[in-house]
Amino acid sequence: MKAPKLTAIILTYNEEQHLPRCLASLDGVVDSILVVDCFSTDKTVFLAENNGAKVIQHSWTNQSTQFNWALSQTETTEWILRLDADEYLTPELQSEIRGKLSSMGNDIEGIFCGRQMIFQGRLIKHGGLFPIRVLRLFRYGKGQCEKRWMDEHIKVPGPTADFKGNIIDHNLNSLSWWIDKHNHYASREAVDLLNLRYKFMPHDSIATFSLRPGSGSKRWIKENIYANLPNGFRAFAYFFYRYIIRCGFLDGQEGMTFHFLQGFWYRFLVDAKIAEVEQYMKKTGCSATRAIKEILFINVQPTST
């Protein structure tokens, strides 16, 4: 049976450190690679083109907008693989894609795989986080990225299948870089949580009530349980759940750093930003969208002022 054409889409900005590893994991797996670059100032574009990828540059709004724009620029293909530049495919997932994609029934519109994370050189195994099931393979024309400011996922309307292999997220930048990135992430996540309260944007979500661990069930818990807990307290509760109840302490020193920073500091920072926006709204009487622009410096293209 002839293998279907598969195109990988990678969004980049100054990813010269990670991109060669990512592209190497796609060798012999995909037919073409589209790199959508946000005007990198390092060797990202050179490395991408030197490894046979097609590069298009496009200004940045957020991950969701950039990826959906990339889909509109994709040439004729049958399947799309979404991959971040600091991620790579395991040999098991490479083998599954090469061997099983051609046998997918015509009704299958998306394929889930696992996603694992390496933090400061250590594979995070505890805390109830990884491997998480994510939809990264989908039929061209069937999938689209959620229209969100943070934690966006691919959604398809039809049936899906599962591969056992994993995508590894292994960022090699410093802890200072990680903290700065998550400060920006916290502003974007604050926008999505504020939207649950004030509904200034359409709500686009893959949230699904399910006992099966995955991105859909995780999103349902976040939107229907976590979001309704008191600001600040929920960060403590979430960290306690991850680090104590789900045994995050078994991930050692690196795991303690990761679970504390990502499971408590980051979540508390999100809540602090939400509180600051709401205090500004109360003080000035302005809308949520205006307060977000003034406090978080994010223009969410408000429907009202």
Side-chain angles (χ1 to χ4, degrees):
M1 183 180 296
K2 183 181 179 181
K5 186 174 181 181
L6 172 60
T7 298
I9 296 179
I10 306 169
L11 308 184
T12 60
Y13 176 70
N14 289 350
E15 290 287 358
E16 66 177 11
Q17 182 174 205
H18 299 113
L19 191 59
R21 182 187 64 187
C22 176
L23 296 175
S25 78
L26 298 175
D27 187 33
V29 178
V30 304
D31 298 285
S32 61
I33 300 171
L34 174 63
V35 170
V36 178
D37 181 71
C38 185
F39 302 98
S40 291
T41 58
D42 64 0
K43 296 179 181 178
T44 295
V45 172
F46 169 79
L47 291 170
E49 293 178 337
N50 198 49
N51 282 275
K54 177 182 178 181
V55 178
I56 305 176
Q57 293 189 305
H58 187 255
S59 59
W60 183 267
T61 300
N62 56 42
Q63 188 95 357
S64 170
T65 301
Q66 191 82 333
F67 186 81
N68 286 332
W69 183 86
L71 286 176
S72 72
Q73 305 302 305
T74 305
E75 298 175 355
T76 303
T77 190
E78 295 174 76
W79 287 85
I80 298 288
L81 170 64
R82 176 192 172 185
L83 200 63
D84 292 341
D86 59 357
E87 297 176 331
Y88 56 90
L89 310 183
T90 61
E92 182 181 15
L93 184 55
Q94 292 172 336
S95 179
E96 284 184 294
I97 294 173
R98 285 192 294 256
K100 296 182 179 180
L101 196 61
S102 60
S103 64
M104 287 293 114
N106 292 331
D107 62 320
I108 299 298
E109 296 182 355
I111 300 173
F112 283 85
C113 63
R115 177 175 170 268
Q116 294 181 290
M117 176 174 286
I118 295 175
F119 182 82
Q120 294 189 323
R122 186 181 187 116
L123 182 66
I124 302 299
K125 298 180 179 180
H126 305 281
L129 293 180
F130 305 111
I132 187 171
R133 308 298 296 172
V134 291
L135 196 155
R136 292 297 191 89
L137 271 165
F138 59 95
R139 288 192 187 274
Y140 177 65
K142 298 295 184 181
Q144 189 178 45
C145 196
E146 296 173 287
K147 296 178 177 66
R148 300 174 60 87
W149 280 86
M150 185 62 198
D151 195 28
E152 64 293 319
H153 293 279
I154 300 298
K155 58 181 183 178
V156 295
T160 61
D162 286 276
F163 283 170
K164 295 180 180 179
N166 294 312
I167 290 171
I168 305 297
D169 179 341
H170 184 191
N171 193 287
L172 301 171
N173 286 307
S174 69
L175 186 60
S176 294
W177 179 92
W178 188 97
I179 290 171
D180 182 63
K181 181 184 75 168
H182 279 74
N183 179 40
H184 292 290
Y185 280 2
S187 295
R188 288 157 52 183
E189 182 145 350
V191 170
D192 284 331
L193 286 171
L194 284 163
N195 189 47
L196 290 176
R197 297 182 185 180
Y198 300 101
K199 305 185 187 309
F200 47 82
M201 299 184 302
H203 180 57
D204 191 8
S205 177
I206 62 166
T208 305
F209 179 74
S210 173
L211 297 178
R212 175 189 179 188
S215 51
S217 57
K218 179 182 175 183
R219 175 69 56 72
W220 188 93
I221 292 171
K222 180 185 290 186
E223 292 181 354
N224 292 277
I225 299 177
Y226 183 85
N228 293 314
L229 295 174
N231 283 15
F233 166 78
R234 58 194 181 189
F236 286 101
Y238 180 57
F239 172 70
F240 182 82
Y241 169 78
R242 267 176 55 169
Y243 196 66
I244 303 300
I245 297 178
R246 295 305 300 269
C247 301
F249 59 86
L250 294 177
D251 285 319
Q253 178 66 41
E254 298 85 1
M256 181 177 71
T257 302
F258 175 74
H259 291 297
F260 179 81
L261 289 177
Q262 203 273 341
F264 174 70
W265 171 81
Y266 169 71
R267 298 292 167 187
F268 195 89
L269 183 60
V270 171
D271 284 353
K273 288 174 183 271
I274 290 172
E276 187 179 21
V277 168
E278 292 185 323
Q279 287 169 3
Y280 188 84
M281 291 171 63
K282 184 177 180 180
K283 178 181 178 181
T284 65
C286 72
S287 66
T289 54
R290 179 63 181 272
I292 288 168
K293 186 174 182 179
E294 295 293 328
I295 300 300
L296 303 180
F297 310 109
I298 294 176
N299 183 3
V300 295
Q301 299 180 337
T303 55
S304 61
T305 58

